[in-house]
Structure formats: structure tokens, C-alpha cells
Amino acid sequence: MSITDYESVIGLEVHVELNTTHKAFCECSTTFGAPPNSQVCPVCLAMPGALPVLNREVVDFAIKAGIATHCTIEPVSRFDRKNYFYPDLPKAYQTTQNDFPICTNGYVDVASGDGIRRIRISQIHMEEDAGKLMHHSEGTEIDCNRCGVPLLEIVSEPDARSAEEAVAYLRKLRAIVRYTGISDGKMNEGSLRCDVNLSVRKKGEEAYGTRVEIKNINSFNFVARAIESEFKRQVELLESGGTIVQETRRFDEKTGQTYSMRTKEDAADYRYFPDPDLVPVRVTKEEVEAIRKTIPRMADERKASYMVTYQLTPYEAERLTEDKEMSDFFEDAVAHTSYPKILVNLILADISPLFTEDTVEYPVNPVSLGALSDLLGEDEINSNTGRRILKSLLENDFDPKAYVEEHQLAQINDRSVLEPIVQAAIATNKRAVKDYLGGKETALRAVIGFAMKATQGRANPLLVEEMIHEAIVE
Ligand code: ADP
Ligand code: ZN
Ligand code: MG
């Protein structure tokens, strides 16, 4: 047997830090980056006698996530205590939902090869974050600002079969939390964190193998690498006659390998029990329907409509909708052009890198970009000029049409104007012409380049090529 006879079986547990204004069970602020221990109170520090009160915004956000992932929103759910000691957890238990989570039985569809893979979501539950330990040479400091910050944990069924599918699923989840506005979904800042559960089995087998959990991976790239190396490790172990032990491992970014941290704890170790300080969470149908109305059109829906309305490829539509800001921008701009395909090319090739994780403002005025697409679509300027105008538009806004007139950038499509230039290009580049005629296709570029330069880049390059060809071949 070889590695190609095996497949990986992957389930993901994703933690999403919610951007509610207050913590889950007290009034403390959740703003990121405040001085250590400046956002704490008796409740989140677990002073004796302090009582938690559930922040209803957390419930609303959980419902949004549940709706967007096709879950059942449970009319009654409940908080439990997960007991364990660690210095970043002053309460010595985490308030979480174990037995009765708020959302159950959903799914997310992700692109896989030529088709679609449905990743089922077993549950989404609400819980709280712990504090942060900062290790120094002199010792360790504890910052409790994050204690009690609300999290959602989204648990998938073991439905992903490859690193690509797992990453596609994470990207979808990130888009979902961003579209619904419940989190900024930044993996590098920890607002989207992921544990990967992975087992292997021979292709065609039904039963799952023993799984290993890889904790807290903080980038898409590391998720993919961790999966690939863990898959390989498990297969090699089985092939050499070994057995997989259920354990928790961590991924080392430097070596690209996973390392054992501890053997897996049992649920019993946490002594879960219902939190006696918190009443059950009740959600009415009316509340769910009211929240459903606040959810914007999601990526999947936009993708499908772009493919039909603008004849975009699945790839183009997927890329455009990955990011809500970019998709909104496209929708604003496409209303101002008759050439959506050209607009899409400009956005995907030149503008998408400018939509960073922190984008709050469009990098270009969408009206101007629509006008630029028209100029290109109407052949009034060539792509060279288009790129130059776009560069200027990124610096400050103007009307591209007026700009083209003012700076005389219109493309030269007139054969009689180009004729002498083409003749000069041929005459000065005899060598290249000869090479071209001798079979060296790329040699023609020098001749075209000469003509382009002679027109300050304004000639229609396709027409120039055609004319040179006519002049030397025919
Ligand atoms: P626990 O109660 O120990 O947390 P769960 O049943 O809740 O275990 O599963 C945790 C995660 O592990 C889920 O994402 C699930 O899909 C995944 N998982 C469970 N069994 C397997 C398996 N055999 N292979 C890969 N992933 C698995
Ligand atoms: Zn507090
Ligand atoms: Mg679990």
C-alpha cells in the first residue's frame, strides 16, 4: 500500500471572537489592544459573589452565524461549566455550552475540484475566552482583558477530505463572519482560530480511524501544511505496522511537523455541569426572523447571481465575493459600465491586492473605475494606458474620459497614422524581422515595441502587430 491508497478525514473546530461591544457576562469593553487588565471587573475576574448576566448581543450574533450556516436555531439552550485549572482562567472554569448548544445541524458548501463538498456543522455554541499569559525572562504576566470575551465555537462533522477542502471551508467561514459583521475574522490576530482533527483511512473504507487533534493553528497556510504533514505521518506510521494514539498535537511552523503535546483528555476530566448562575437561553421564532432580515446577501448568493448576470466564470465570481468589501465595490462599479468583464479583470488583477483585511474605504472611486472600463471596452484606450490611468486613479480621483482627452491618450486605431510608424519600425529592426521570418516568434516583440514607443504607448498594439505582419509576410 502507498500513501495514495489513503485519504484524510478532517473535522474542524473553529473559534470566532465576536466583536460585541461588551463581554459575554459583564459590561466590560472588548476593545483590542487596551493596557493589560484595564478592561476587567469582579465578574470577569471571578471575585466571590459576583454574578454573570448574559449579554444578549452574543445570542444575536450566534443566531446570525447559525442562520448563515443553515443551522437549526434551538429555542432553548444552556450554559455549562467546563472545569479546569490554568493561570489564564481566574474562574477555574470556562462558561460554555456543552449539552445544549444554541445552533445545531447546519452546513457550508465549499468548492472541491470540479464539484462541491458539503461540510456539515454539528453545532455552534457560545462560550468565553480566557486571559493571555505573557512570558518574559523574569517570569510570566497575566492580562485578563480577554477573560470573558465572547466566542462562538463552530464544530464541523469530519467531512473534509483534503487540505484544500479544509482551507476552503475556513475561508467560507471567514467570509460568513465578515458578511454578517459578527467578527473581523482575522486569523493572524486570533479572532479566527482553528483546531484540526484528522484521521486517515484506506480509500473506500467506511469506518473512521483514530483521530489526532492539532491545536490552535493561526493561518490558512499553516492549516494546509499541518494537514499535509500529519496525514503523511499517520499513513507512514500505519504502513510501518504502528497504531495511531488519540492525542493532542501542535504544529511547528519552522519544521512544518506536528509534535505531541498530551494524550487526549476525556469530557469527564472537565466535570461539566450546568452553570447554576445562568438561566437557560430562550429564543423565539420572531426573534430569529427579525435577525434573518438583518443578514446581507451572502457570498454564495452573490456568486451565483454574478455568474448569470455578468457571465463570470465560477473562479471570477468566487474571488470577487470572498471579501464583502470587494463584492460591494464591484456592485457599485458595475452599475457604471457596459463592460463588466473588463471591470472584473481590473478588479481581480490590479485592485484586489489593495483590499486588505483592514479595508474600510474603497481604494478607487467605483464610478471612475466604471468609466475606465468603458474606455477600454470601447477601444478608446489600450490596456497600457488603462493601467497608467488606474495608477493615477489610485492616487486621486478624476474623470478618466476628460483625462484621456486632456492628455491626448486616446488609442491610435487609424491605419494611415500608423503606417509610417510601422514602416520605420521595420526599417530600424531589420535583424528582428529576419529572426522572426526565420521562425523566432518572439522577435516580433522588438518591432512592435518600437512602434509602441514611437506613439508614446498609444498605438493599438493588436493593430500594429497585424500591420507589421502584413508588411513583412504578405
Ligand atoms: P470531542 O467530544 O472529543 O470534542 P467531537 O465528537 O466533538 O469530539 O469531535 C470534535 C471534532 O473532531 C469534530 O470537528 C469532529 O468532526 C472531529 N472528529 C471526530 N471524529 C473524527 C475522526 N475519526 N477523524 C477526524 N475528525 C474527527
Ligand atoms: Zn468584566
Ligand atoms: Mg467536542
Side-chain angles (χ1 to χ4, degrees):
M1 286 255 148
S2 78
I3 193 156
T4 52
D5 299 314
Y6 286 84
E7 69 178 355
S8 48
V9 171
I10 304 161
L12 295 120
E13 294 166 287
V14 174
H15 286 95
V16 179
E17 198 163 281
L18 300 178
N19 56 20
T20 51
T21 44
H22 301 294
K23 291 187 181 179
F25 305 108
C26 61
E27 298 273 292
C28 291
S29 162
T30 54
T31 313
F32 185 77
N37 301 306
S38 62
Q39 295 171 342
V40 292
C41 74
V43 172
C44 52
L45 287 178
M47 296 298 170
L51 281 175
V53 177
L54 175 61
N55 173 0
R56 199 66 199 186
E57 203 182 358
V58 178
V59 178
D60 292 352
F61 281 20
I63 294 171
K64 284 189 185 188
I67 293 172
T69 52
H70 313 280
C71 281
T72 304
I73 313 298
E74 297 293 338
V76 182
S77 66
R78 192 186 73 193
F79 282 102
D80 301 289
R81 291 185 180 183
K82 178 181 182 178
N83 299 279
Y84 66 97
F85 172 78
Y86 204 66
D88 65 5
L89 188 74
K91 283 159 60 170
Y93 61 84
Q94 180 193 33
T95 305
T96 180
Q97 297 193 300
N98 189 52
D99 296 333
F100 298 99
I102 184 161
C103 310
T104 56
N105 291 325
Y107 65 84
V108 166
D109 286 335
V110 302
S112 163
D114 293 333
I116 280 177
R117 169 87 67 194
R118 176 157 294 186
I119 312 279
R120 290 167 300 156
I121 289 173
S122 43
Q123 64 173 69
I124 301 178
H125 59 259
M126 301 179 280
E127 59 184 33
E128 60 180 343
D129 212 344
K132 207 165 93 188
L133 297 181
M134 292 166 295
H135 306 285
H136 308 289
S137 51
E138 316 90 77
T140 296
E141 293 180 314
I142 306 176
D143 176 6
C144 287
N145 282 354
R146 230 176 47 191
C147 290
V149 167
L151 302 174
L152 293 182
E153 180 172 342
I154 305 175
V155 185
S156 87
E157 295 287 347
D159 289 343
R161 293 287 171 272
S162 65
E164 293 75 46
E165 289 179 9
V167 170
Y169 169 77
L170 287 173
R171 285 189 181 280
K172 257 288 146 63
L173 282 190
R174 183 174 68 168
I176 284 170
V177 303
R178 289 189 179 174
Y179 271 76
T180 50
I182 64 177
S183 170
D184 58 23
K186 291 183 189 172
M187 282 199 104
N188 58 347
E189 284 184 13
S191 42
L192 194 76
R193 311 198 281 264
C194 165
D195 302 338
V196 172
N197 296 271
L198 188 149
S199 60
V200 300
R201 65 179 174 192
K202 294 202 180 101
K203 284 179 186 161
E205 261 174 21
E206 288 266 325
Y208 293 142
T210 304
R211 77 172 192 271
V212 155
E213 178 171 6
I214 314 162
K215 279 277 178 206
N216 250 326
I217 314 179
N218 65 4
S219 85
F220 292 133
N221 181 19
F222 293 155
V223 168
R225 283 173 55 201
I227 288 174
E228 267 145 22
S229 87
E230 178 62 17
F231 173 59
K232 199 157 160 273
R233 187 190 72 85
Q234 291 190 17
V235 171
E236 281 168 4
L237 189 57
L238 291 175
E239 282 291 293
S240 64
T243 46
I244 312 291
V245 271
Q246 187 173 344
E247 61 180 351
T248 304
R249 299 177 71 88
R250 73 185 165 79
F251 175 68
D252 185 325
E253 294 147 19
K254 290 195 194 74
T255 62
Q257 307 286 319
T258 66
Y259 295 92
S260 183
M261 280 167 70
R262 54 174 190 261
T263 52
K264 174 91 183 156
E265 58 286 308
D266 270 330
D269 296 338
Y270 290 119
R271 294 177 293 121
Y272 281 103
F273 65 88
D275 193 314
D277 286 343
L278 289 159
V279 293
V281 181
R282 289 174 198 283
V283 180
T284 65
K285 277 210 178 71
E286 292 71 33
E287 279 173 295
V288 175
E289 286 322 304
I291 290 171
R292 194 187 301 279
K293 292 201 181 80
T294 69
I295 293 181
R297 280 161 54 246
M298 301 295 286
D300 281 351
E301 189 186 337
R302 294 184 190 212
K303 182 179 165 187
S305 96
Y306 294 175
M307 284 164 61
V308 174
T309 315
Y310 308 113
Q311 272 84 55
L312 303 192
T313 64
Y315 170 80
E316 290 168 334
E318 175 89 27
R319 291 259 339 258
L320 274 180
T321 52
E322 228 166 51
D323 187 291
K324 178 169 180 291
E325 276 66 35
M326 191 152 79
S327 173
D328 287 345
F329 174 75
F330 167 71
E331 293 185 6
D332 283 351
V334 81
H336 299 280
T337 179
S338 316
Y339 295 90
K341 276 279 204 184
I342 290 175
L343 172 68
V344 170
N345 285 339
L346 287 174
I347 294 179
L348 294 184
D350 301 294
I351 300 178
S352 69
L354 303 170
F355 279 93
T356 65
E357 304 222 319
D358 305 307
T359 300
V360 280
E361 233 174 81
Y362 293 160
V364 191
N365 179 349
V367 180
S368 309
L369 196 70
L372 178 62
S373 308
D374 279 352
L375 289 171
L376 287 161
E378 303 286 353
D379 261 346
E380 288 188 33
I381 57 174
N382 61 31
S383 53
N384 247 333
T385 311
R387 228 168 281 128
R388 270 162 50 202
I389 295 179
L390 180 57
K391 211 164 157 227
S392 311
L393 276 177
L394 290 169
E395 277 149 29
N396 50 39
D397 189 35
F398 51 80
D399 171 13
K401 207 169 165 74
Y403 185 89
V404 164
E405 272 163 34
E406 189 188 332
H407 294 82
Q408 301 185 334
L409 296 173
Q411 171 158 271
I412 306 172
N413 293 316
D414 186 338
R415 279 177 173 263
S416 62
V417 177
L418 291 176
E419 190 57 40
I421 296 164
V422 165
Q423 289 308 332
I426 293 169
T428 359
N429 293 279
K430 288 207 176 71
R431 177 80 207 250
V433 170
K434 204 168 145 236
D435 289 349
Y436 177 71
L437 292 173
K440 193 176 163 207
E441 294 265 332
T442 51
L444 203 62
R445 272 197 227 135
V447 193
I448 299 170
F450 184 94
M452 292 306 292
K453 211 163 164 195
T455 58
Q456 288 86 44
R458 290 163 53 215
N460 178 336
L462 291 177
L463 185 56
V464 167
E465 181 172 353
E466 186 186 310
M467 289 173 68
I468 294 172
H469 201 261
E470 282 168 8
I472 63 180
V473 179
E474 287 150 26

